[in-house]
Amino acid sequence: MAKQPQSCAFRTSIGGQALIEGILMRGPEKQAIVVRDQEGNLVEKVEELRLIKDRHPILGWPLIRGTVNFLSSMVNGVKALMYSADFYPEEETTEPSKFEQWLDRTFSNKKLEGLIVGFSVLLGIGLSIFLFLVLPTFLTGGLLHFFPDFPMWGRNLIEGILKVAIFLLYLIFCSKQKDIYRVFQYHGAEHKTIFCYEAGLPLTVENVRIQPRHHPRCGTSFLFVVIFVSILVSSVVFGIWPITNVWLRTLAHLVLLPLVVGITYEFNRWVGRHVQDSRLAKILTAPGMWMQNFTTNEPDDSMIECAIRSLELVIPEEKGKDTW
């Protein structure tokens, strides 16, 4: 019989992200990227963290820090993905376009990388806003155009159902892509390794392999909670100020988005501290944990080795500095 994973001895604040054949781990002091190159070697990149809240303390306040940390994670995540992708370049079968040649002539490599990162972050945020905010609002508005007397609570309910349905379909679609399957395996390796560390076990492949692959602080759970919190917040706001015009409702959703992200971030912090000892926390995280079935896969041992090394590189020397 397989050995069962042990319960957590503590909860760490260390988190990570799956990359192309690698993993990004972020600790309280350092960020580490470990990628397995085409020769099978582990390539390491470690950076000291420079937190914006250290320069501007107000950005570390509750409800404000959620949006700041989310944007920072997006930027760092895109940079890490670009770094890992460089180890597996696509074969160029055509000459660079005139636009690509103009970019190479006009901008330095550092400036060009900054432009690509900025564009990628804006594109990612814009796509998320469109799919999970704008699209449900317009679909509901189009459907209820023929029912002008439809109650506001019903409009809010339909919008909420569409948000969850679109999010679920998006996860299912992503999980079916062959190129994404290995990335989701690394995602599973990241979760398992963090669980092993939290259980106080030695970081070995054998100990990591038996750990769960679903983690309550996962980005998948975070996005689901963002959607759920947005449903609650918009229901309260539109209950007080009924708005049926789809353009005004969309604008209101955008204005409320920083508050929604801020609330979700604080919720995730609370869950990180109490999911093991609070039945309420377990119930509230259950839907997001279930959705991780679509975004995490069981890793192989080489992926676990990569995850272990990336975690080892960010564990602080001062014991307990990475706990909640």
Side-chain angles (χ1 to χ4, degrees):
M1 180 179 292
K3 180 182 176 183
Q4 295 299 312
Q6 299 183 19
S7 59
C8 290
F10 72 102
R11 281 295 181 186
T12 181
S13 60
I14 294 174
Q17 175 184 324
L19 306 174
I20 299 172
E21 299 300 327
I23 288 178
L24 159 71
M25 283 286 186
R26 184 182 175 93
E29 301 170 328
K30 299 177 183 178
Q31 173 178 289
I33 300 173
V34 178
V35 178
R36 191 174 293 280
D37 64 19
Q38 297 187 54
E39 286 72 42
N41 302 312
L42 292 180
V43 182
E44 304 170 2
K45 179 181 180 183
V46 182
E47 298 174 318
E48 297 287 336
L49 289 180
R50 298 177 181 178
L51 303 179
I52 191 172
K53 69 177 183 179
D54 294 336
R55 301 192 303 272
H56 307 285
I58 190 175
L59 298 181
W61 290 7
L63 296 183
I64 297 177
R65 61 189 175 188
T67 301
V68 174
N69 288 339
F70 175 74
L71 292 174
S72 175
S73 296
M74 287 282 292
V75 171
N76 289 329
V78 170
K79 287 181 178 179
L81 276 171
M82 291 173 58
Y83 174 80
S84 65
D86 286 342
F87 291 89
Y88 294 86
E90 296 181 0
E91 295 184 6
E92 296 186 8
T93 56
T94 59
E95 290 292 325
S97 66
K98 291 183 178 180
F99 178 68
E100 291 173 328
Q101 294 176 21
W102 176 81
L103 286 175
D104 289 335
R105 291 195 307 269
T106 307
F107 300 99
S108 64
N109 289 337
K110 189 172 182 179
K111 287 185 177 180
L112 184 57
E113 179 184 348
L115 285 174
I116 295 174
V117 170
F119 177 75
S120 299
V121 170
L122 288 175
L123 184 63
I125 293 175
L127 180 61
S128 299
I129 289 175
F130 173 76
L131 285 177
F132 311 131
L133 190 154
V134 177
L135 184 58
T137 302
F138 273 77
L139 288 176
T140 304
L143 178 63
L144 298 184
H145 175 74
F146 304 100
F147 305 94
D149 297 327
F150 202 78
M152 183 56 62
W153 67 265
R155 179 182 291 268
N156 294 336
L157 178 63
I158 294 175
E159 256 187 35
I161 292 174
L162 284 174
K163 286 179 181 179
V164 174
I166 291 172
F167 181 62
L168 183 58
L169 290 173
Y170 174 77
L171 292 184
I172 293 173
F173 173 78
C174 290
S175 69
K176 300 299 182 182
Q177 305 305 303
K178 291 183 179 179
D179 293 341
I180 302 297
Y181 186 85
R182 286 186 63 85
V183 175
F184 286 171
Q185 284 183 288
Y186 276 99
H187 193 189
E190 173 225 327
H191 286 183
K192 284 172 170 283
T193 304
I194 291 176
F195 264 129
C196 184
Y197 176 58
E198 290 178 326
L201 297 172
L203 291 174
T204 65
V205 171
E206 292 74 18
N207 287 336
V208 170
R209 192 188 298 130
I210 62 174
Q211 301 302 320
R213 76 175 199 266
H214 304 131
H215 199 284
R217 289 189 293 108
C218 174
T220 305
S221 296
F222 180 84
L223 289 176
F224 174 76
V225 177
V226 165
I227 291 173
F228 186 75
V229 171
S230 73
I231 293 171
L232 294 179
V233 171
S234 60
S235 295
V236 172
V237 172
F238 295 143
I240 298 173
W241 295 289
I243 302 175
T244 58
N245 182 279
V246 292
W247 294 102
L248 292 179
R249 284 180 72 92
T250 300
L251 179 61
H253 281 307
L254 290 174
V255 171
L256 292 170
L257 191 55
L259 174 63
V260 168
V261 173
I263 293 173
T264 303
Y265 180 81
E266 301 305 325
F267 171 81
N268 253 31
R269 286 177 62 88
W270 179 80
V271 165
R273 293 191 298 267
H274 299 291
V275 71
Q276 281 295 102
D277 53 31
S278 170
R279 182 177 295 274
L280 176 61
K282 291 180 180 179
I283 293 173
L284 292 175
T285 58
M289 296 278 280
W290 177 80
M291 288 189 175
Q292 290 177 43
N293 285 310
F294 301 108
T295 60
T296 61
N297 295 319
E298 286 294 333
D300 61 33
D301 288 353
S302 68
M303 297 171 179
I304 292 175
E305 290 172 357
C306 184
I308 289 173
R309 185 55 187 154
S310 62
L311 178 57
E312 289 174 338
L313 291 171
V314 300
I315 296 175
E317 294 182 4
E318 183 180 337
K319 188 175 181 179
K321 195 170 184 178
D322 59 329
T323 59
W324 288 106

